[in-house]
Amino acid sequence: MRLLMTASLCVLATAFAIPAGAAPADKTIELTVDTAKPGATIDRHIFGQFAEQLGHGIYDGIWVGKDSSIPNTRGIRNDVVAALKAIKVPNVRWPGGCYADSYHWRDGVGAKRTTRVNTAWGNVVDSNAFGTDEYMDFIAQIGSEAYVSLDVGAGTVAEAQDWMEYMTADQPTTLAQERAANGHPAPYRVAMMGIGNESWDCGGLMTPDEYTAELRRYARFVGSYNSKQPTLKIAVGPGTEDTAWTEAVMKTWKERRGWSFDIQGLSLHSYTVYDGWPPHMPGTGFDESAYAHVLKETLKMGPLIDKQSAVMDKYDPDKKIALVVDEWGAWLAPTPGSNPAFLMQENSQRDAIIAALNINIFSRRADRVRMANIAQMINVLQAMILTDGPKMVLTPTYHVFKMYVPFQGATFIPVTYDANSYVHGDTTLPRLDAIAAKGVDGKIWLSLTNLDPNASLVVDAAALGFKAKSATGQTLSAPKVDSINTFEHPDVVTPKPISGKLKNGAVVLTLPPASVTVVSLEP
Ligand code: AHR
């Protein structure tokens, strides 16, 4: 039956439908959660977001201006704020990205803003109406923390110092008074600062030695001006499997002395791109072969992190420095008809699965991966939210982030299972991808992703050291793997309740094809 279904689906040139009421895969998967062996804390910061001054990411997506007919608070749209509050965004990286390395903060403060050409993204005019104070207002409205990227490319150490002093000084310096005159007497907290962005590419095409020379100066002389609220410093890290950059930064850090610099994080950028650069996998209308290949690509995040972490371990066995995956996600072909420089793309059930697989990869490595930022939050790349004028829609990726909220700050718990295989053509993938954690609410949470688009999956989940009688939660599945939510039909892909009952000592759950499920085990 399953073979017949798979064969008939393969001949479809366009997106393949997930068969309604698909037959379960021939084999039940037995999964054991070992509550007696807790692992590292899954830092809530791995659920961070990235919002660059790019396309409609900030303008229209967040900022509509105080005089807009779109309901807003001090120019920031209320619908977007409400949606983001619900997913408990821990931090927002801003203003870039490549944009950050030519951003001059003074253009975006005070009554009179300096308009500029956004040379990183489309050469459109950037009004700078959304600047530092608006960003801080935005993150306060959504209950998040600040992660700013310093301009190392076109800027100077002195400019970065001034920006940090403007934001963080808690004493009445000239810059703190300027901030007060702009409406914010209290110092802002800048939780994290990035020292440049992709300095090996758009950030200045530097060699590792050129970058580490900049790093020593920026990390030594730029930081918080409020001793009660220090800022964590994150160095530019690698963007490929090559480890030369990581070696150089970690060696430089290891050799620091006395009053010299320190860092607390090393960045890693890795996008899921199907079949080479430039990104050309369509947002919708792809076939099963492309689906299987892109999932295989995304699973490379695990070995990539392991390779770079091994170098970090050599210099930093105590794991003082976090690996910060501050750009990740699917990078697809632009939405037809959109400006390609605005990086707009459709977001389907496939992307929900990509999100879950990556979050699971980070969670399994929670001792080193303590922060991550999906690219990007609104209207850009693998977004949580799409807007069009007054309209707003939540993507399947948004729903994954919401379902995973109980994993924020949870304690990782090992799970054992035989993942089984989903095979399509020359691609073999695990059929199941699962993680477990003990939430801050004291509950045992399980996330189960069925990668197989052709068959539902029966999982028998048993917890050692915990008497579970049932499991309840939500599952995210869709009529088709390329199903999307649109402004007209916003609820095509939304989580539905799921529950499992005790049978022969294990809680039995049936996972729909190509789905993401999050449940808590109930006593
Ligand atoms: O997220 C889009 C771009 O991708 C960022 O600006 C850059 O850092 C990366 O190359």
Side-chain angles (χ1 to χ4, degrees):
M1 171 70 171
R2 182 167 176 268
L3 278 177
L4 279 176
M5 273 193 300
T6 309
S8 61
L9 289 162
C10 286
V11 297
L12 295 179
T14 54
F16 50 104
I18 294 172
D26 35 14
K27 214 169 148 196
T28 295
I29 293 185
E30 287 170 8
L31 176 147
T32 309
V33 182
D34 194 348
T35 61
K37 293 188 184 136
T41 299
I42 301 170
D43 200 307
R44 68 191 178 97
H45 283 293
I46 73 162
F47 297 91
Q49 300 282 332
F50 174 32
E52 184 164 11
Q53 306 256 136
L54 190 176
H56 300 296
I58 302 285
Y59 298 109
D60 305 332
I62 296 172
W63 180 258
V64 287
K66 295 174 183 135
D67 300 329
S68 171
S69 57
I70 299 170
N72 69 83
T73 302
R74 295 180 292 280
I76 294 162
R77 47 191 303 166
N78 295 343
D79 52 355
V80 163
V81 167
L84 293 173
K85 269 170 109 164
I87 58 170
K88 298 190 187 302
V89 177
N91 72 83
V92 181
R93 179 173 182 248
W94 175 85
C98 295
Y99 177 90
D101 274 306
S102 53
Y103 180 65
H104 301 294
W105 70 276
R106 280 216 157 276
D107 294 343
V109 294
K112 191 167 175 343
R113 303 294 166 98
T114 304
T115 57
R116 296 270 184 197
V117 174
N118 185 335
T119 51
W121 300 110
N123 288 316
V124 293
V125 172
D126 186 338
S127 68
N128 276 307
F130 188 91
T132 302
D133 295 299
E134 290 74 24
Y135 163 69
M136 291 295 185
D137 190 11
F138 167 62
I139 59 167
Q141 287 191 35
I142 65 169
S144 192
E145 291 192 277
Y147 174 20
V148 299
S149 301
L150 304 182
D151 177 357
V152 170
T156 62
V157 169
E159 184 185 7
Q161 282 182 319
D162 284 355
W163 192 23
M164 287 299 289
E165 185 173 339
Y166 176 87
M167 291 187 280
T168 64
D170 59 342
Q171 302 187 66
T173 68
T174 303
L175 282 163
Q177 284 169 0
E178 184 178 343
R179 183 190 66 228
N182 289 336
H184 212 277
Y188 295 120
R189 175 161 182 256
V190 176
M192 277 84 57
M193 62 175 224
I195 301 174
N197 172 76
E198 298 190 358
S199 306
W200 32 263
D201 188 40
C202 67
L205 205 62
M206 297 180 202
T207 63
D209 284 350
E210 285 164 350
Y211 178 70
T212 50
E214 297 289 350
L215 175 66
R216 278 191 290 264
R217 292 190 320 126
Y218 275 82
R220 165 69 184 92
F221 297 112
V222 186
S224 173
Y225 284 76
N226 181 349
S227 56
K228 295 188 279 301
Q229 294 184 340
T231 298
L232 302 178
K233 301 177 183 183
I234 298 167
V236 167
T240 65
E241 283 208 344
D242 191 275
T243 53
W245 192 278
T246 306
E247 282 277 354
V249 173
M250 294 303 296
K251 186 166 181 290
T252 304
W253 174 77
K254 187 78 183 168
E255 289 170 354
R256 75 200 187 288
R257 292 194 304 273
W259 273 35
S260 69
F261 78 99
D262 204 356
I263 53 171
Q264 289 73 39
L266 178 76
S267 142
L268 168 72
H269 288 185
S270 180
Y271 286 95
T272 299
V273 179
Y274 166 69
D275 191 26
W277 204 260
H280 57 276
M281 182 165 184
T284 53
F286 48 87
D287 63 13
E288 184 168 357
S289 167
Y291 167 79
H293 272 99
V294 83
L295 294 196
K296 193 168 183 173
E297 277 303 309
T298 216
L299 289 172
K300 290 180 181 167
M301 178 67 94
L304 172 65
I305 291 174
D306 293 342
K307 194 167 179 194
Q308 299 294 349
S309 296
V311 177
M312 296 178 79
D313 288 349
K314 212 166 67 175
Y315 296 96
D316 174 30
D318 297 335
K319 299 191 183 342
K320 289 185 179 144
I321 298 189
L323 188 61
V324 175
V325 190
D326 54 8
E327 286 189 32
W328 69 273
W331 193 323
L332 310 172
T335 303
S338 67
N339 181 341
F342 287 2
L343 309 187
M344 296 176 79
Q345 63 188 42
E346 291 164 304
N347 193 305
S348 71
Q349 177 68 7
R350 167 207 50 202
D351 304 306
I353 290 173
I354 286 175
L357 293 177
N358 279 279
I359 294 168
N360 295 354
I361 287 168
F362 303 151
S363 302
R364 290 188 192 102
R365 294 159 178 83
D367 56 345
R368 180 66 86 178
V369 180
R370 301 199 285 273
M371 188 162 142
N373 298 73
I374 189 168
Q376 297 192 7
M377 190 160 60
I378 304 165
N379 291 331
V380 177
L381 298 178
Q382 191 175 345
M384 306 295 112
I385 294 173
L386 303 176
T387 65
D388 181 12
K391 293 180 275 188
M392 181 191 85
V393 68
L394 306 175
T395 66
T397 301
Y398 172 92
H399 292 302
V400 169
F401 271 70
K402 189 154 181 213
M403 289 161 67
Y404 268 82
V405 164
F407 284 85
Q408 292 199 12
T411 305
F412 184 81
I413 301 174
V415 280
T416 45
Y417 57 94
D418 173 356
N420 226 286
S421 298
Y422 154 52
V423 182
H424 181 79
D426 59 354
T427 308
T428 301
L429 296 164
R431 182 171 280 149
L432 175 70
D433 194 80
I435 60 162
K438 185 170 186 182
V440 287
D441 55 6
K443 291 186 177 182
I444 308 294
W445 289 91
L446 257 181
S447 171
L448 306 159
T449 297
N450 178 8
L451 283 73
D452 191 333
N454 301 313
S456 57
L457 187 55
V458 180
V459 175
D460 285 7
L464 302 176
F466 180 82
K467 283 202 168 43
K469 290 211 183 79
S470 63
T472 55
Q474 292 189 310
T475 190
L476 187 72
S477 62
K480 294 192 288 174
V481 168
D482 76 337
S483 292
I484 57 173
N485 293 331
T486 62
F487 299 112
E488 295 72 31
H489 304 286
D491 295 325
V492 176
V493 188
T494 50
K496 308 279 180 314
I498 187 171
S499 59
K501 288 257 178 308
L502 193 70
K503 197 174 150 198
N504 303 329
V507 173
V508 182
L509 285 153
T510 302
L511 313 177
S515 63
V516 179
T517 300
V518 173
V519 290
S520 62
L521 297 179
E522 307 293 336

